[in-house]
Amino acid sequence: MEINITIPSDLKDITLRQYKKFIKIQEGIENTTFLQLKIIEIFCNVDLKLAKTMKYTDVEEISASILNLFTEQPKLVTHFTINEVNYGFVPNLDDMTLGEYIDLDQYSSDYNDIEIAMNVLYRPVKAKYKHKYLIVDYDPDTKERILDMPMDAVISSMFFFLNLRIELANTILNSLEGKDLVQRADLVNFKQNMDGISRFLPYLKETLKELNISLN
């Protein structure tokens, strides 16, 4: 039986909504083959019954190629469009309010509510002139609409935010040379904790291991 499906070839072809759905279901699935079928169902928008009629080798190859997309580190995505609305990355992080920073800091490493952090970082553009633009004020109640954002924006912004925190830790550590060792040790621990991608990505890497797919 011939089946025509659209296979995502880039992180921008996958939405945050799909990613969250996959993370939620994969935690309770121990059968590798069934998990591969769910990958195709979720990320290729194929009915599960139809996916079961595909060749096993095709299922393996497609599911592996999709999961390997999540090992990439894309460049920071500053703009994307959802339902004809242009969203822009926060132009100046220094202008964020305390409430915005608290939500960003609290939920940037929580894959269950990662959309809250994304709703802080990306907002509809209300005015634009050449390369400069203004975004709307932060509204915590609009987090649901951000679920259809592309995953390259999610992952790239998390790398960006994480690197900022690492740079901040380095700056503070350098300024503490010769000062209180306990305080310095605490900041070293903070830097080590920040040194890597945020905690929501290891779930995908663990899945890759279970499927015996080597990580680049």
Side-chain angles (χ1 to χ4, degrees):
M1 181 178 179
E2 185 175 333
I3 303 174
N4 292 320
I5 65 174
T6 301
I7 304 170
S9 58
D10 193 282
L11 283 173
K12 66 183 178 182
D13 300 325
I14 296 174
T15 67
L16 176 56
R17 188 184 303 276
Q18 289 174 312
Y19 170 80
K20 289 194 64 174
K21 184 177 180 180
F22 169 69
I23 288 297
K24 185 176 181 179
I25 64 101
Q26 68 97 21
E27 291 179 343
I29 298 178
E30 296 181 359
N31 185 294
T32 299
T33 303
F34 185 65
L35 180 59
Q36 291 172 323
L37 288 172
K38 295 298 290 186
I39 290 171
I40 293 175
E41 177 191 35
I42 294 171
F43 296 118
C44 301
N45 296 309
V46 175
D47 185 85
L48 188 62
K49 292 182 179 179
L50 190 59
K52 289 180 178 179
T53 65
M54 297 172 58
K55 288 174 57 178
Y56 177 65
T57 52
D58 290 340
V59 170
E60 278 195 320
E61 183 178 348
I62 293 172
S63 60
S65 67
I66 292 173
L67 286 180
N68 272 321
L69 294 177
F70 290 93
T71 65
E72 301 173 1
Q73 183 178 344
K75 294 182 179 179
L76 179 64
V77 176
T78 57
H79 289 85
F80 57 80
T81 302
I82 300 178
N83 297 324
E84 299 183 355
V85 177
N86 184 29
Y87 285 75
F89 187 79
V90 174
N92 191 344
L93 291 172
D94 290 337
D95 291 337
M96 285 197 306
T97 65
L98 177 60
E100 291 169 356
Y101 184 80
I102 289 174
D103 282 353
L104 175 58
D105 186 60
Q106 180 176 351
Y107 295 104
S108 60
S109 59
D110 182 1
Y111 76 93
N112 287 306
D113 294 301
I114 192 72
E115 66 271 19
I116 297 177
M118 293 299 104
N119 196 38
V120 174
L121 291 176
Y122 292 98
R123 298 176 227 161
V125 175
K126 63 180 181 180
K128 186 176 182 180
Y129 178 72
K130 294 185 178 179
H131 298 297
K132 296 183 178 181
Y133 57 93
L134 296 175
I135 56 177
V136 301
D137 292 337
Y138 175 53
D139 183 357
D141 296 328
T142 59
K143 63 181 181 179
E144 289 299 317
R145 67 187 180 188
I146 208 72
L147 285 170
D148 291 317
M149 71 181 291
M151 279 303 296
D152 63 337
V154 176
I155 294 177
S156 67
S157 63
M158 286 299 92
F159 269 115
F160 180 82
F161 182 58
L162 188 64
N163 285 333
L164 281 181
R165 297 176 73 171
I166 293 173
E167 288 178 11
L168 175 62
N170 281 330
T171 300
I172 297 175
L173 282 170
N174 290 334
S175 68
L176 287 177
E177 285 192 15
K179 296 185 179 180
D180 190 280
L181 292 179
V182 174
Q183 187 178 9
R184 184 177 172 82
D186 288 341
L187 282 164
V188 169
N189 290 333
F190 167 78
K191 181 182 180 298
Q192 290 174 343
N193 290 335
M194 291 299 101
D195 196 8
I197 193 168
S198 54
R199 287 174 292 182
F200 75 101
L201 285 179
Y203 289 92
L204 286 167
K205 292 187 177 182
E206 187 62 32
T207 302
L208 285 167
K209 288 182 181 178
E210 292 174 0
L211 294 177
N212 294 319
I213 301 171
S214 62
L215 289 171
N216 293 327

